[in-house]
Amino acid sequence: MSSRLTIHHLRRSQSERVLWLCEELGIPYQLETHLRRPPNLVAPDEIRKLHWAGNAPIIQDGDICLAETGAIFEYILAKYGNGQLVLPPTHPNYADYVFWLHRENGTTMPSLISLMFMQLNGISKENHGYVNMQRRVDATYEAMDRQLSKFPYLAGEEFTAADCMSLFSLTTFRVFAPFSLEKYPNIVAYLQRVGQRDAYKRAMGKGDPDMEPILSADPPKPLWESS
C-alpha cells in the first residue's frame, strides 16, 4: 500500500499518539512536523490554515483533512487497521477497551488542562473548582493503577489503541504541568513496559527526536525551563 496519509505533528503535543498508532499498525505515512510558537508555545499559523479546528493532530488522506485525536484514531483503525489494536464487542474486556479509549480525551485531559490553567492564574489548590478537578484526575489514576495491577495493559492482556490513546497525559503532558506518579507504582511499571515497544520508540524518535520520553515517576523539568 503506497503512502498517501500525512500526519501533521506539533512537537511536544498529543499528536504523538497518532504517530505511535500508525507505527504499531505498520501504516506508511508522511510526517509533517510543526514547532510551537514562542513565547506562549501555541500552534503555528500553518496548523490553523490546515483545518478550522486549529490544533494538532491533523491528518490528510487524499482529499480528506481530519482533526481531533479520537476521530483520527477511529478513522485510521477503521480504514487501515485490519482489525488490529481493537477488541470486538464479543471480547470479555471490550468494556474496558472502550472506557480507556475514551477516558483520556473525555475526562482526564480536560481536567489536567483545567488544573494547569488554574495554576498559571494563581488559583489556590484549596479552591472548590481546583479540588474537584484534582479529584477527577486522582480517581482516574487510582482506577488505572488498579487495572494495571491485574493486567499488563489497560484493556487486559492485549495491547490496544486504548494504550496508544492514554499514555500522553502520563508522559509528555507533564512537561507542561509537572506532577509525580510515585503514588501509582503499577502505572510507572506500565510506562517502563510500554516504553520498550519498538513502535513507541520509533514514533517518539521521529516526532520529538530531541526529547527523552518521560517514563518515570519523577516530575519532569517544565518545558519553559528547558534549554
Side-chain angles (χ1 to χ4, degrees):
M1 178 174 59
S2 62
S3 174
R4 66 171 190 165
L5 184 68
T6 299
I7 302 173
H8 291 272
H9 167 60
L10 180 65
R11 289 280 184 90
R12 289 170 169 77
S13 83
Q14 63 176 328
S15 56
E16 69 184 36
R17 299 182 286 185
V18 178
L19 275 68
W20 184 18
L21 179 70
C22 288
E23 291 290 342
E24 290 283 354
L25 293 171
I27 297 172
Y29 62 90
Q30 178 179 332
L31 176 63
E32 296 289 340
T33 301
H34 304 268
L35 299 177
R36 291 182 177 275
R37 188 175 62 193
N40 52 7
L41 304 179
V42 297
D45 289 340
E46 54 261 34
I47 287 285
R48 292 176 169 79
K49 292 175 182 177
L50 286 167
H51 193 284
W52 63 263
N55 53 10
I58 294 170
I59 63 168
Q60 292 173 302
D61 189 17
D63 294 331
I64 293 170
C65 185
L66 184 63
E68 289 295 335
T69 308
I72 290 169
F73 264 53
E74 185 171 346
Y75 180 91
I76 289 174
L77 288 166
K79 189 169 182 180
Y80 297 115
N82 294 317
Q84 299 178 81
L85 301 187
V86 300
L87 298 184
T90 53
H91 195 287
N93 291 86
Y94 177 70
D96 285 336
Y97 166 70
V98 292
F99 175 82
W100 291 110
L101 183 65
H102 293 283
R103 180 71 178 183
E104 177 84 351
N105 281 3
T107 298
T108 309
M109 282 303 301
S111 299
L112 285 169
I113 291 171
S114 294
L115 287 173
M116 180 181 71
F117 280 112
M118 287 181 189
Q119 292 168 5
L120 291 173
N121 285 287
I123 295 176
S124 169
K125 292 184 178 181
E126 305 301 318
N127 177 274
H128 180 72
Y130 192 104
V131 169
N132 281 340
M133 287 297 164
Q134 188 64 61
R135 282 176 179 165
R136 289 187 183 185
V137 173
D138 292 344
T140 295
Y141 291 154
E142 287 165 6
M144 184 182 286
D145 200 67
R146 289 194 300 272
Q147 179 76 348
L148 293 169
S149 72
K150 297 180 288 184
F151 301 108
Y153 303 110
L154 291 174
E157 299 295 334
E158 300 176 48
F159 179 89
T160 69
D163 298 291
C164 293
M165 182 67 78
S166 300
L167 213 69
F168 175 72
S169 70
L170 299 165
T171 56
T172 305
F173 177 79
R174 291 196 290 150
V175 302
F176 296 95
F179 59 90
S180 172
L181 293 171
E182 63 180 351
K183 296 190 297 183
Y184 311 112
N186 297 304
I187 291 178
V188 176
Y190 167 72
L191 294 183
Q192 294 294 315
R193 184 163 58 251
V194 173
Q196 294 304 309
R197 296 182 69 86
D198 289 339
Y200 181 75
K201 292 178 181 179
R202 288 195 302 270
M204 297 304 292
K206 292 177 182 180
D208 287 277
D210 59 342
M211 184 182 76
E212 185 73 21
I214 299 159
L215 302 170
S216 72
D218 299 330
K221 184 178 181 180
L223 182 59
W224 52 88
E225 292 182 9
S226 301
S227 55

